[in-house]
Amino acid sequence: MRLGGLSRQRRAVAVIGAAALCTALAATGCAADDESNNNSAVAGAATTSLPDDPATGAPVRIGFVSTEGGAVISLPEMREGAEAAAEYINKNAGGIAGRPIELVVCKQQEEPTSATKCANEFVEQKVAAVLSPGTSQGGTIMPIVAGAGIPYVTLNGVSAQELTSPDSAALSAGLPGTITAMATAAADKGMKTFTLFASDGGGMGAMVDAMGTPIFQGSGVALKVVPIPLGVPDPTPLVTSGLSGKPEGVSVIADAATCASVYKAIQTTDPGVQKVFIPVCLDPNVTGIIGMDSVTGSTGITATDYLSDRPDSVLYRSVLQAYAPGATVTGAASSGYQVVMALALATDGIQGEVNAASIREALRTSKGVEMPAGGGVTFSCDGTAVPMMPSICSRQMLIGEIDDQGVPVNLKVTG
């Protein structure tokens, strides 16, 4: 009995952690590793040859937090995207401030024990920075590495430590940017009322409500947030209640399974309501359940420009084609790619030794750096983007119309 209870408790903690991770990655995707994912969406999209510009000198050791091997969630494509970016930087782009990257990967399972182990390993191996595409364990990892004088860089921060520490740089707008993009999309469509269904793991529903209500009010849209408890077998009663006021628009912030069940209930209750999708809810496992017809033409939010002919998007596809051909271009590989490439861009001006101190200073003084494959989104890690959360480096996200492959296209920068 005691062992069984402990097992159930651990699984509950893991599920909450997975939900927090998916919320952290709301704008960049949290799809499971699944053979159903493929690159049909990018067939015919332009690629280019890569230059021959190898880095020289002693390598710079950079830690990378990989979410892999967990019972609830495992995203190896994040690591594959990061490794592809490192290969490109080392072989084709002259390195990071002229030096090759040695990516020190540590796999953790979105729970404190493995996360702490990774943080300690990074300290022991004396890495010059720690990179994370996004994790629910940032509040565990960041203080340990920061305590050793190592800068922490995440694409998507969710913990208070990640969003407020002077030793952390959260490159993407994350949850605040996602909610802002939703409000912008609603206002652009002339909506006056909007219902947002939010997974309630770890009090996330209350956080979304507190953050979202003033943001939507600023766009002239009234917001109603409906928390969806983790693991609820049938959300239909909650969805019916949330739609009782006949909102003009809806969205969901949750893991893929909850996205599928909530949107299925929305289709049954009010199939004509306008929808705004985050990438988690555009996973093929979700669209296969709710039907692509109910998705195509809706508004999508993203932090990645997967398909356009912008040079940085063409480069992204070319790098994955060269160094991670099995990765899904529109999937989680983009998060790993972006955080590694962004570090290289932000530190390009370092003169002299490339170490933790020079990387930290380069990040603090970075201004108007273009996010790789970011569709024109820029980041500045000088604390001015969101003053109340000084570690956040950007307010900007992308919104666009979802095509028949479930990918937002014709993107515009918001925020």
Side-chain angles (χ1 to χ4, degrees), residues 49 52 54 81 87 117 133 181 217 222 226 260 289 298 316 324 333 340 393-394:
S49 59
D52 182 18
E87 287 276 342
K117 179 176 179 290
Q217 284 177 345
V226 179
I289 292 172
S298 298
Y316 164 64
V340 173
C393 301
S394 179

Side-chain angles (χ1 to χ4, degrees), residues 75-300:
L75 298 168
E77 280 202 345
M78 286 182 176
R79 170 183 50 78
E80 293 168 11
E83 291 171 340
E87 287 276 342
Y88 166 76
I89 290 166
N90 290 346
K91 295 178 179 179
N92 311 106
I96 176 171
R99 302 260 300 279
I101 290 175
E102 179 185 341
L103 206 62
V104 179
V105 174
C106 188
K107 300 175 182 179
Q108 57 87 34
Q109 291 80 52
E110 290 304 311
E111 46 76 38
T113 300
S114 62
T116 300
K117 179 176 179 290
C118 281
N120 288 327
E121 285 183 9
F122 292 141
V123 173
E124 291 167 6
Q125 299 204 38
K126 296 181 170 60
V127 299
V130 170
L131 308 184
S132 169
T135 173
S136 66
Q137 296 301 310
T140 299
I141 297 169
M142 198 284 296
I144 295 173
V145 299
I150 300 168
Y152 175 88
V153 184
T154 180
L155 190 65
N156 300 281
V158 65
S159 69
Q161 295 92 328
E162 291 173 291
L163 300 177
T164 60
S165 169
D167 296 302
S168 174
L171 303 180
S172 170
L175 183 59
T178 298
I179 294 173
T180 300
M182 285 181 180
T184 300
D188 286 352
K189 295 287 187 179
M191 301 180 199
K192 295 299 181 184
T193 54
F194 197 92
T195 293
L196 176 52
F197 298 95
S199 180
D200 202 28
M204 195 62 68
M207 182 189 300
V208 170
D209 192 7
M211 189 181 297
T213 297
I215 291 174
F216 271 78
Q217 284 177 345
S219 294
V221 183
L223 176 67
K224 178 179 182 179
V225 176
V226 179
I228 304 293
L230 285 172
V232 64
D234 181 8
T236 300
L238 292 168
V239 171
T240 301
S241 174
L243 298 178
S244 61
K246 295 295 180 182
E248 296 174 77
V250 296
S251 191
V252 181
I253 293 181
D255 61 280
T258 304
C259 283
S261 61
V262 171
Y263 274 116
K264 192 70 175 176
I266 290 171
Q267 284 298 102
T268 301
T269 307
D270 188 357
V273 67
Q274 297 183 75
K275 307 175 190 71
V276 178
F277 287 85
I278 63 173
V280 180
C281 301
L282 292 173
D283 177 78
N285 294 314
V286 178
T287 56
I289 292 172
I290 66 177
M292 192 61 76
D293 288 347
S294 68
V295 174
T296 303
S298 298
T299 300

Side-chain angles (χ1 to χ4, degrees), residues 303-375:
T304 310
D305 178 10
Y306 305 105
L307 301 181
S308 83
D309 288 334
R310 285 178 55 92
D312 58 332
S313 296
V314 173
L315 178 62
Y316 164 64
R317 296 191 295 269
S318 303
V319 170
L320 256 60
Q321 181 184 71
Y323 299 120
T328 307
V329 168
T330 56
S334 63
S335 298
Y337 172 91
Q338 284 181 306
V339 73
V340 173
M341 291 288 285
L343 178 74
L345 291 173
T347 57
D348 186 55
I350 290 178
Q351 301 293 322
E353 187 65 23
V354 183
N355 54 29
S358 61
I359 288 175
R360 182 187 299 106
E361 181 61 21
L363 287 166
R364 285 177 177 170
T365 57
S366 64
K367 199 165 184 65
V369 181
E370 281 212 12
M371 178 66 71

